[in-house]
Coordinates of all heavy atoms in Angstrom, one line a residue:
M1270 N 5.8 7.4 11.0 CA 7.1 7.3 11.6 C 7.3 8.0 13.0 O 7.8 7.5 13.9 CB 8.2 7.8 10.7 CG 8.5 6.8 9.5 SD 10.0 7.2 8.8 CE 11.2 6.6 9.9
F1271 N 6.8 9.2 13.0 CA 6.9 9.9 14.4 C 6.0 9.2 15.5 O 6.5 9.2 16.6 CB 6.3 11.4 14.2 CG 7.5 12.4 13.8 CD1 7.5 13.0 12.6 CD2 8.6 12.4 14.6 CE1 8.5 13.9 12.3 CE2 9.7 13.3 14.2 CZ 9.6 14.0 13.1
L1272 N 4.9 8.7 15.1 CA 4.0 8.0 16.0 C 4.7 6.8 16.5 O 4.7 6.4 17.7 CB 2.6 7.7 15.5 CG 1.7 8.8 15.3 CD1 0.4 8.3 14.6 CD2 1.3 9.4 16.7
M1273 N 5.3 6.0 15.6 CA 6.0 4.7 15.9 C 7.2 5.1 16.9 O 7.5 4.4 17.9 CB 6.5 4.1 14.7 CG 5.5 3.5 13.9 SD 6.1 2.8 12.3 CE 7.1 1.4 12.9
M1274 N 7.9 6.2 16.6 CA 9.0 6.6 17.4 C 8.6 7.0 18.9 O 9.2 6.5 19.9 CB 9.7 7.8 16.7 CG 10.9 8.3 17.6 SD 11.6 9.8 16.9 CE 10.4 11.0 17.3
F1275 N 7.5 7.7 19.0 CA 7.1 8.2 20.3 C 6.6 7.0 21.1 O 6.7 6.9 22.3 CB 6.1 9.4 20.2 CG 6.7 10.6 19.9 CD1 6.5 11.3 18.7 CD2 7.6 11.2 20.8 CE1 7.1 12.5 18.4 CE2 8.3 12.4 20.5 CZ 8.0 13.0 19.4
V1276 N 5.8 6.0 20.5 CA 5.4 4.9 21.1 C 6.5 4.1 21.6 O 6.5 3.6 22.8 CB 4.5 4.1 20.2 CG1 4.2 2.7 20.8 CG2 3.1 4.8 19.9
G1277 N 7.6 4.0 20.9 CA 8.7 3.2 21.3 C 9.4 3.9 22.5 O 9.8 3.2 23.4
I1278 N 9.6 5.2 22.4 CA 10.3 5.9 23.5 C 9.4 5.9 24.8 O 10.0 5.5 25.8 CB 10.4 7.4 23.1 CG1 11.4 7.6 21.9 CG2 10.8 8.2 24.3 CD1 11.5 9.0 21.4
F1279 N 8.1 6.1 24.7 CA 7.3 6.1 26.0 C 7.1 4.7 26.4 O 6.5 4.5 27.5 CB 6.1 6.9 25.8 CG 6.4 8.4 25.7 CD1 6.2 9.0 24.5 CD2 6.8 9.1 26.8 CE1 6.5 10.4 24.4 CE2 7.0 10.5 26.7 CZ 6.9 11.1 25.5
S1280 N 7.4 3.7 25.7 CA 7.3 2.2 26.1 C 8.5 1.9 27.0 O 8.6 0.8 27.5 CB 7.2 1.3 24.9 OG 5.9 1.6 24.2
G1281 N 9.5 2.8 27.0 CA 10.7 2.6 27.8 C 11.9 2.0 27.1 O 12.9 1.7 27.8
Y1282 N 11.8 1.9 25.8 CA 13.0 1.3 25.1 C 14.1 2.4 24.9 O 13.9 3.6 24.9 CB 12.5 0.7 23.7 CG 11.6 -0.5 23.8 CD1 10.2 -0.3 23.7 CD2 12.2 -1.7 24.1 CE1 9.4 -1.4 23.8 CE2 11.3 -2.8 24.2 CZ 10.1 -2.6 24.1 OH 9.2 -3.8 24.1
Q1283 N 15.3 1.9 24.7 CA 16.5 2.8 24.6 C 16.3 3.5 23.2 O 15.9 2.9 22.2 CB 17.8 2.1 24.5 CG 18.2 1.5 25.9 CD 18.6 2.6 26.9 OE1 19.1 3.6 26.5 NE2 18.4 2.3 28.1
L1284 N 16.6 4.8 23.2 CA 16.3 5.6 22.0 C 17.1 5.1 20.8 O 16.5 5.2 19.6 CB 16.7 7.1 22.2 CG 16.2 8.0 21.2 CD1 14.8 8.0 20.8 CD2 16.7 9.5 21.6
F1286 N 17.8 2.1 19.9 CA 17.2 1.0 19.3 C 15.8 1.4 18.8 O 15.3 0.7 17.8 CB 17.1 -0.2 20.4 CG 18.4 -0.6 20.9 CD1 18.7 -0.4 22.3 CD2 19.4 -1.0 20.1 CE1 19.9 -0.8 22.8 CE2 20.6 -1.4 20.6 CZ 20.9 -1.2 22.0
V1287 N 15.2 2.3 19.3 CA 13.9 2.8 18.8 C 14.1 3.4 17.4 O 13.4 3.1 16.4 CB 13.2 3.9 19.7 CG1 12.0 4.5 19.0 CG2 12.8 3.2 21.1
L1288 N 15.1 4.3 17.3 CA 15.4 5.0 16.1 C 15.8 4.0 14.9 O 15.2 4.0 13.9 CB 16.4 6.0 16.3 CG 16.1 7.2 17.1 CD1 17.3 8.1 17.2 CD2 15.1 8.0 16.4
V1291 N 12.6 1.6 14.1 CA 11.6 2.2 13.3 C 12.1 2.5 11.9 O 11.4 2.3 11.0 CB 11.2 3.6 14.0 CG1 10.2 4.4 13.1 CG2 10.4 3.3 15.4

Side-chain angles (χ1 to χ4, degrees):
M1270 280 198 72
F1271 272 119
L1272 286 175
M1273 291 173 67
M1274 180 188 69
F1275 284 115
V1276 168
I1278 290 171
F1279 289 108
S1280 297
Y1282 292 101
Q1283 293 289 333
L1284 184 59
F1286 302 119
V1287 171
L1288 292 176
V1291 171

